[in-house]
Amino acid sequence: MAARDPLPLSIALSELIALRGFARVRSENELEAAWKQVAGPDLAAQTRPAKLSRGTLTVAVDNAPLLSELASFQGPELLQVIRQRYPHLNIRTLKFKLSGT
């Protein structure tokens, strides 16, 4: 294909989606929705998925007591549920951090 030849529509759309970040936004929305389902309304109101990188989902937590509770007790159960319900997200571990840090 010469530099001036028109691109096939499928390639042009793929490039536009990548350029505009639409795929990233969609995956972030899916991750947030999955977390809300797994965490439930009370926990989801005090937490949010901050980052998914290399299979580790980092969850921002509003306060230190809840951070401790999640890291020590509820984390393994939450991880098991999210892995069962959303295996395509490829989450292997959960990490909790205090919001704003």
Side-chain angles (χ1 to χ4, degrees), residues 69-87:
E69 172 74 22
L70 290 170
S72 299
F73 301 108
Q74 294 182 20
E77 182 180 338
L78 290 167
L79 176 61
Q80 181 181 7
V81 172
I82 202 165
R83 290 179 73 189
Q84 286 175 347
R85 290 187 189 174
Y86 304 96

Side-chain angles (χ1 to χ4, degrees), residues 43-61:
L43 188 56
Q46 301 176 72
T47 61
R48 66 173 180 77
K51 179 173 84 168
L52 177 58
S53 177
R54 297 182 179 170
T56 298
L57 174 59
T58 302
V59 178
V61 182

Side-chain angles (χ1 to χ4, degrees), residues 4 10-11 16 21-24 28-29 32-34 36 44 57 61 69 75-76 80-81 84 88 95-96:
R4 294 181 179 211
S10 61
I11 293 173
L16 177 64
F22 295 138
R24 185 183 72 246
E28 288 172 0
N29 290 341
E32 190 168 326
K36 285 181 179 180
L57 174 59
V61 182
E69 172 74 22
Q80 181 181 7
V81 172
Q84 286 175 347
H88 64 281
K95 179 179 168 185
F96 300 99

